Amino acid sequence: MNYLTAVHTDVGIRKSTNQDSVLIETAATDYGQILLSVVCDGMGGLAKGEVASAMLVKAFSRWFHQEFPRLLYSGLEANTLKESWTNLILEQNQTINHYGLGCNVSLGTTLAALLLVDNIYYIINVGDSRVYYIKDGFHQMTLDQTYVQREMDLGRMTQEEAKNHPRRNVLLQCVGASSVIEPDFYVGEYQPDSLFMMCSDGFRHVITPEEFYEKMKPELMATEEKMKETSVYFTELNKARREDDNISVALIRAY
C-alpha cells in the first residue's frame, strides 16, 4: 500500500493553548510503505496538557524508529505489537505522572495510535480520541473509554442522552493520570482506496457521520491538497458551530 496524508490542528475558539498533539510517520521497508499515526488530546492544570500529549507522541516516534524495525523484521505479530505498545504506554504513564508531581499538577492525555503494514491495521486506544474507517460508509473503529460509553454499554443511557450529558467528557482512564491503564487493541484487514480519519474529540462533537462521509469519500480524497482542504473545512465548521475544544484531525488515504 501507499498513502496520502494530511494533518490539521487548531486551538479552537475558547482555549488559549492547543493541548492536542498529532504525529504521522512513514517508512519504506522490504514490506512496502508502512505508516504510523498518533493523535493525543492532553488535559491538565496550568495548561500542562500539551506537555503530556507531546511526551506521548514523541515516545511513539522513538518507538517507530528504534523498536519497531526489530519487531517488523522478526515477523510482526499482533500480540507482540500489543505487548510492545502496552509497555510503552505504561512507561509513559509513569513518566508523565512523575512530571506532574514535580509541577504539582495533574495532567494526562488520550491516545489513538494506528499502524498500517501491508493491508493490516493495528490500533491502540486510551480515552476518547477516535479512529474512523471510510470506505463503503463511515465506520467508528474505536470505542470511547468514557463514563457515558460505559453507561450506554450497560443499557443505562441512550446515545441521544449521552450526546448532551454533563459528564460526556469524563474519561475512565488516560495516560499520565490513571493508576491502572487497560488499552483497547484492534487488528484487522483494510482495503485499497479507503480512508482513515483520526481525531481528537473536539473535531467530531458537532459534525454528523453523514456530513463527514459526504465530503470524505475516498474517491474525493484524490490529493493531499484536497485532504488538507477538507480537514480545514470541517475545523472551521466546528468553530462556526461553537465547538469550544481544541480541534485536531489526521487523514490517511490508502491506495
Side-chain angles (χ1 to χ4, degrees):
M1 295 280 186
N2 291 300
Y3 309 103
L4 300 175
T5 64
V7 170
H8 189 64
T9 185
D10 192 290
V11 68
I13 63 173
R14 184 177 68 85
K15 295 188 175 181
S16 59
T17 303
N18 191 342
Q19 297 185 321
D20 293 350
S21 295
V22 185
L23 168 76
I24 292 184
E25 299 247 22
T26 59
T29 74
D30 295 341
Y31 298 87
Q33 191 174 29
I34 288 172
L35 180 142
L36 172 71
S37 182
V38 181
V39 173
C40 292
D41 179 355
M43 70 287 296
L46 303 178
K48 291 291 187 181
E50 75 278 9
V51 176
S53 65
M55 288 171 69
L56 190 53
V57 158
K58 288 176 182 176
F60 267 86
S61 180
R62 288 193 302 270
W63 173 89
F64 187 65
H65 291 279
Q66 298 173 9
E67 176 69 15
F68 176 63
R70 181 187 64 80
L71 297 178
L72 179 65
Y73 286 99
S74 62
L76 185 63
E77 294 183 354
N79 286 338
T80 305
L81 177 64
K82 179 182 179 181
E83 181 181 2
S84 179
W85 270 353
T86 300
N87 288 339
L88 183 155
I89 292 166
L90 295 178
E91 289 170 4
Q92 289 303 306
N93 187 54
Q94 286 191 321
T95 300
I96 295 168
N97 180 262
H98 289 159
Y99 175 86
L101 290 174
C103 300
N104 198 30
V105 295
S106 177
L107 67 160
T109 179
T110 69
L111 164 71
L114 168 71
L115 179 70
L116 302 179
V117 181
D118 197 8
N119 67 324
I120 306 295
Y121 67 80
Y122 306 88
I123 297 169
I124 200 160
N125 178 63
V126 178
D128 65 352
S129 293
R130 289 183 180 176
V131 182
Y132 294 89
Y133 180 69
I134 306 167
K135 176 68 173 172
D136 301 317
F138 187 76
H139 308 284
Q140 182 181 334
M141 304 186 77
T142 54
L143 197 65
D144 295 345
Q145 297 178 341
T146 58
Y147 168 79
V148 294
Q149 183 64 56
R150 183 183 67 187
E151 293 302 292
M152 285 191 292
D153 292 343
L154 294 172
R156 297 194 294 230
M157 187 181 295
T158 67
Q159 194 165 16
E160 284 303 311
E161 289 171 334
K163 284 182 182 178
N164 301 306
H165 196 278
R167 298 183 67 187
R168 71 172 188 176
N169 293 325
V170 174
L171 301 177
L172 298 181
Q173 55 182 347
C174 67
V175 184
S178 297
S179 56
V180 177
I181 291 185
E182 296 180 357
D184 290 331
F185 184 76
Y186 310 84
V187 59
E189 295 185 7
Y190 68 97
Q191 302 299 316
D193 299 316
S194 58
L195 185 80
F196 290 90
M197 182 183 100
M198 306 178 65
C199 64
S200 61
D201 64 327
F203 188 76
R204 44 88 178 167
H205 277 147
V206 295
I207 313 290
T208 67
E210 292 77 17
E211 288 175 308
F212 279 133
Y213 184 60
E214 180 183 359
K215 290 191 175 294
M216 286 188 179
K217 293 175 183 176
E219 59 266 27
L220 300 178
M221 302 289 97
T223 65
E224 292 186 334
E225 290 75 17
K226 181 62 176 177
M227 294 165 65
K228 178 71 171 183
E229 177 187 309
T230 303
S231 301
V232 173
Y233 166 81
F234 279 115
T235 298
E236 294 305 310
L237 183 59
N238 270 290
K239 291 158 70 175
R241 292 181 180 177
R242 313 310 294 171
E243 169 59 55
D244 60 6
D245 203 351
N246 301 146
I247 303 167
S248 298
V249 62
L251 297 180
I252 301 105
R253 181 172 182 261
Y255 66 97

